[in-house]
Structures are given as C-alpha cells and as structure tokens.
C-alpha cells in the first residue's frame, strides 16, 4: 500500500497515473481503481490532460500522455547519448557522412549527439542545435508515430504530408531532399525505448550531390540497422539497471 505524501491533490494525481500503467482506462474504471470520487477523478484527469501528462484514445478513454514520454526521455538522455556515441561514429565511418541523434523537445527537435564527417563538404549540426519539427527526415520520424491529434497539429505548415508519414511508418525510415536546408539530404530511422515508443531519431545527412536524390535507397539499410542496434542496447541497459 502506498503511503500518502500529505499533499492530497498530488497523491490523487499519482494514484490516477499509476492506475493507467496497464493501458487506456475509462473514467468509471479510474474511479473504481483509485477509490476517488467521480467528480474529483474527472477534474484531476482533465487537468493532467491539459498539461499533456494524460491523453485520450480514440474511444475517449484516458491514457498516459506524451509529455510523460518526453520527460522520461529527458531523464534517460545521458544514457542515450553515451550509448549513441560509438554507433554514430561507426555509421559515419561506414557511410562517410555526418550522423546525429535528435530528440523532440517541445516544438523543436534538438541534436543531442553527433559524429561529423572529418573532411570535405559536410552537414554540420552541433550538439544542442534546435531545428524545426516542420521539415527534415528526423522530424518526419519523430512525428510519424505520434497520436492522431499531435500528428494533425504537427503537419500544420509542415514541408511533408500525411501520405509521406504513412510511407515512413510502412518502411520504417524517412528521407528528405532540401526540406530543412537547400542542397542537403538526409535519411533517418526511429530509436525506440523499452515500451516500443519512438524516443529519438537517428539521422545521416550530407550534400545532395553526394547522397543523390534517392538517399534512402543508398543508406536506409545502414541507418535502420544503426537505429535498431541503439534501441537494443538501450533495452539491454534498462534490463540490467
């Protein structure tokens, strides 16, 4: 039995979040699971939805929100960065192109790790750089598996379309040609966390003249393999932590 903290509303919010651990739950089920009155459960749950800590599925049931995933990703960022380093270097050396890891942060995607091509023409994206979620293959990856409401919002003024995102989900990788910056092409694949959710995008980028107008055809196998390797490494680390 969990001992209360003495701050009633926070204890009730925690009880609601804990009750949703096993998946989407109706209001009536939440009342039963938490033993909190229906009006109170509804009021607190609606407030948690407002802050992104809860969401609603297509049947109107409450579910854990994407903001929790973002916070969990931030908490695990150091582990992601340390695990990504050698994999980004290996992919860079294999392909000869710059590689990066992007994580969604609010309305932007942020580069949290990179391995740059050492010489010649390259796409330089320093760690900490904030880029738009409206353009680029990494943005496509970070949006493609979002819930419908966030996807619709993310597609507003985006350089890519719902059809493109459907193709990304089907293939498991994305490509872009001059979306983010003229003359730059990229290929990205999803990095998944313990639950299978997409927590980051692993990318390769460089000039179109080298990557060609079909960069995915050339590099998608190497990029998806690296992203899968990173996802598996994070899973194993989590199992042993």
């Amino acid at each position: 039995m969990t001992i209360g903290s003495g701050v009633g509303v926070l204890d009730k919010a925690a009880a609601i979040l804990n009750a949703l651990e096993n998946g989407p739950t109706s209001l009536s089920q939440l009342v039963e699971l938490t033993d909190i009155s229906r009006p109170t459960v509804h009021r607190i749950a609606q407030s948690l939805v407002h802050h992104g800590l809860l969401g609603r599925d297509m049947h109107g049931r409450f579910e854990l929100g994407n903001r929790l995933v973002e916070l969990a990703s931030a908490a695990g960022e150091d582990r992601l960065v340390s695990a990504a380093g050698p994999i980004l270097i290996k992919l860079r050396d294999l392909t000869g192109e710059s590689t990066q890891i992007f994580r969604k942060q609010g309305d932007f995607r942020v580069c949290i790790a990179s391995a740059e091509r050492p010489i010649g023409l390259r796409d330089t994206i320093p760690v900490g750089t904030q880029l738009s979620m409206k353009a680029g293959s990494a943005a496509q990856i970070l949006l493609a598996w979002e819930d419908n409401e966030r996807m619709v919002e993310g597609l507003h003024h985006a350089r890519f379309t719902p059809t493109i995102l459907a193709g990304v989900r089907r293939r498991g990788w994305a490509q872009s040609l001059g979306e983010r910056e003229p003359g730059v092409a990229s290929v990205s694949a999803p990095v998944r966390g313990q639950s299978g959710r997409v927590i980051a995008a692993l990318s390769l980028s460089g000039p179109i003249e080298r990557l060609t107008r079909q960069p995915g055809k050339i590099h998608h196998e190497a990029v998806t393999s690296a992203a899968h390797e990173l996802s598996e490494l994070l899973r194993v680390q989590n199992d042993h932590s």
Side-chain angles (χ1 to χ4, degrees), residues 51-196:
H51 290 288
L53 299 173
L54 292 188
R56 294 286 195 108
D57 71 4
M58 61 191 305
H59 302 294
R61 297 174 300 180
F62 290 100
E63 61 183 357
L64 296 176
N66 283 303
R67 183 60 184 146
L68 288 174
V69 179
E70 293 169 1
L71 291 170
S73 296
E77 185 172 307
D78 287 346
R79 181 180 295 176
L80 175 58
V81 170
S82 61
I87 293 173
L88 289 179
I89 292 170
K90 184 166 68 173
L91 180 62
R92 178 201 64 190
D93 293 347
L94 176 67
T95 62
E97 302 297 345
S98 298
T99 57
Q100 308 90 25
I101 296 287
F102 290 97
R103 190 171 63 82
K104 187 175 183 295
Q105 194 172 85
D107 295 330
F108 298 94
R109 54 185 171 103
V110 180
C111 178
I112 61 171
S114 68
E116 289 187 10
R117 174 186 168 96
I119 58 172
L121 190 62
R122 59 188 182 270
D123 183 34
T124 301
I125 304 175
V127 171
T129 300
Q130 286 188 334
L131 296 176
S132 172
M133 276 292 294
K134 304 295 185 181
S137 64
Q140 294 174 30
I141 290 293
L142 293 171
L143 189 60
W145 283 273
E146 285 277 27
D147 61 48
N148 188 63
E149 184 178 341
R150 289 203 173 201
M151 189 180 295
V152 170
E153 182 182 335
L155 282 165
H156 190 57
H157 294 314
R159 298 285 301 276
F160 42 81
T161 65
T163 302
I164 288 174
L165 293 189
V168 169
R169 290 192 298 275
R170 185 178 65 253
R171 293 190 308 264
W173 54 270
Q175 67 176 3
S176 68
L177 296 169
E179 273 187 14
R180 172 177 60 83
E181 186 176 334
V184 173
S186 67
V187 182
S188 297
V191 177
R192 297 181 181 273
Q194 183 77 0
S195 67

Side-chain angles (χ1 to χ4, degrees), residues 28-50:
S28 296
Q29 289 171 320
L30 279 180
V31 171
E32 184 179 340
L33 289 168
T34 61
D35 200 28
I36 302 170
S37 71
R38 187 182 182 93
T40 300
V41 168
H42 185 262
R43 175 173 54 83
I44 294 175
Q46 287 296 105
S47 295
L48 292 171
V49 168
H50 174 76

